Amino acid sequence: MKKLTDERTSVYPPKRILFIILGGIIAILFFAVFLFTRNSFIAIFDLSDKGTIGDAINGITGPIIALISAGLLFYSFQAQLEANKRQLEANKAFKSQWEFDTYYKLYGEIEKAFKEDLVVTVTTTRMNRDGKIEHKAKDYRAVAYVIYTIERVPQGNDEEIYKLLTQIDSIIEDIIVLINYVIDSDVSQKRFFLHRINRFYTASLEDCFDELFQLKCDKPQFQQSYLLYELLKKKIASLRRNELKENILA
């Protein structure tokens, strides 16, 4: 600790010395005023009657200094505006990248939910020719399961149907929210997202959901899902008419 203190004192002078230097400068300035307002012993250094020269110099240099100051002030304002502009552009680029990452993650979660949540495993049991029991597992889309239950088993498991319709609603709502976010955002890859959403809807959702919601079912949960899907269809149709009209074949 002592060594560190010695190094600091050797680099930075004590406050007492600074106060002495400042007091000396002030005293010299006061003495200079006193000296220049007195008659000099040497005529060439006599400035007591040269006040008009000072006024003339001040009158000539004052406007020039003022113009220079105004120019420097204007330049500093311009530099500040340019810095603010660059900062806004940097913030906009950062926001655009953040939006891209967020929307891409949301889109990936929607696809994952469709592939994982809307699959139901059904195991069938039957007797083969040798009298042995066989178990065969088949993967059915939840949509197909709901269609089968509504069409052929009217008194089926309403709780299971409600759960699956809730998962379908969640996917539809997420797609609608993602469309709204992307359209209202400044993300530079906006068209990329809208293309992906449209292709995902066309390739994965349209056929199975159309088949599902064409059924006649009076269950309240089914009717709610039907209205939500109709809203999604309108959103997709609006995308194709507006944002994607130049790139989607009619």
Side-chain angles (χ1 to χ4, degrees):
M1 292 295 295
K2 183 177 181 181
K3 182 178 181 181
L4 180 61
T5 305
D6 293 341
E7 289 179 355
R8 288 183 178 179
T9 53
S10 62
V11 175
Y12 302 102
K15 291 183 179 180
R16 182 169 57 86
I17 296 178
L18 294 177
F19 285 131
I20 292 174
I21 294 174
L22 181 61
I25 293 174
I26 294 175
I28 291 173
L29 292 176
F30 275 105
F31 178 75
V33 173
F34 174 80
L35 181 64
F36 292 148
T37 55
R38 294 292 181 272
N39 294 328
S40 176
F41 296 104
I42 303 175
I44 193 173
F45 292 110
D46 189 2
L47 302 177
S48 60
D49 60 344
K50 301 298 188 294
T52 55
I53 296 177
D55 294 338
I57 295 174
N58 183 55
I60 294 172
T61 59
I64 297 175
I65 295 174
L67 290 175
I68 294 174
S69 301
L72 292 176
L73 183 61
F74 175 78
Y75 177 79
S76 65
F77 283 150
Q78 289 294 105
Q80 185 63 44
L81 290 175
E82 185 67 23
N84 293 341
K85 182 179 179 181
R86 292 180 180 178
Q87 185 64 40
L88 289 175
E89 291 176 352
N91 293 340
K92 185 177 180 180
F94 176 80
K95 179 175 178 290
S96 178
Q97 184 61 42
W98 177 85
E99 288 179 337
F100 179 87
D101 295 339
T102 302
Y103 299 155
Y104 194 83
K105 181 179 179 180
L106 178 56
Y107 176 79
E109 291 176 352
I110 293 173
E111 279 196 336
K112 181 179 178 181
F114 177 77
K115 295 176 181 178
E116 296 183 359
D117 296 343
L118 297 188
V119 173
V120 177
T121 302
V122 179
T123 303
T124 59
T125 304
R126 69 188 181 104
M127 196 77 67
N128 62 12
R129 294 179 180 180
D130 298 332
K132 297 180 180 180
I133 298 176
E134 290 183 350
H135 298 276
K136 292 185 178 181
K138 294 183 180 180
D139 288 340
Y140 292 95
R141 291 287 178 189
V143 174
Y145 176 81
V146 174
I147 292 174
Y148 174 82
T149 304
I150 293 175
E151 284 186 331
R152 302 187 182 184
V153 191
Q155 303 301 324
N157 191 345
D158 287 348
E159 182 178 351
E160 184 68 20
I161 293 176
Y162 177 84
K163 178 181 177 181
L164 295 175
L165 287 175
T166 301
Q167 293 172 343
I168 293 172
D169 290 352
S170 176
I171 292 174
I172 295 175
E173 288 175 352
D174 286 344
I175 295 175
I176 293 174
V177 169
L178 181 59
I179 291 174
N180 292 336
Y181 281 168
V182 172
I183 290 178
D184 294 337
S185 71
D186 296 327
V187 63
S188 58
Q189 297 88 349
K190 181 181 296 187
R191 193 175 296 277
F192 163 79
F193 281 108
L194 298 180
H195 271 299
R196 291 292 296 268
I197 295 169
N198 179 71
R199 290 176 65 87
F200 175 63
Y201 170 81
T202 303
S204 302
L205 304 183
E206 188 172 16
D207 290 340
C208 62
F209 282 1
D210 281 347
E211 184 180 358
L212 170 63
F213 292 113
Q214 284 174 0
L215 299 177
K216 295 180 180 179
C217 181
D218 297 331
K219 297 180 184 295
Q221 176 66 22
F222 183 88
Q223 294 299 319
Q224 177 182 339
S225 301
Y226 168 78
L227 295 176
L228 192 59
Y229 179 61
E230 287 296 313
L231 177 59
L232 175 60
K233 291 173 66 175
K234 292 179 181 178
K235 287 286 184 181
I236 296 296
S238 176
L239 277 185
R240 293 171 176 173
R241 287 194 309 267
N242 299 312
E243 285 79 9
L244 301 179
K245 63 181 178 180
E246 298 177 357
N247 300 86
I248 300 298
L249 295 179

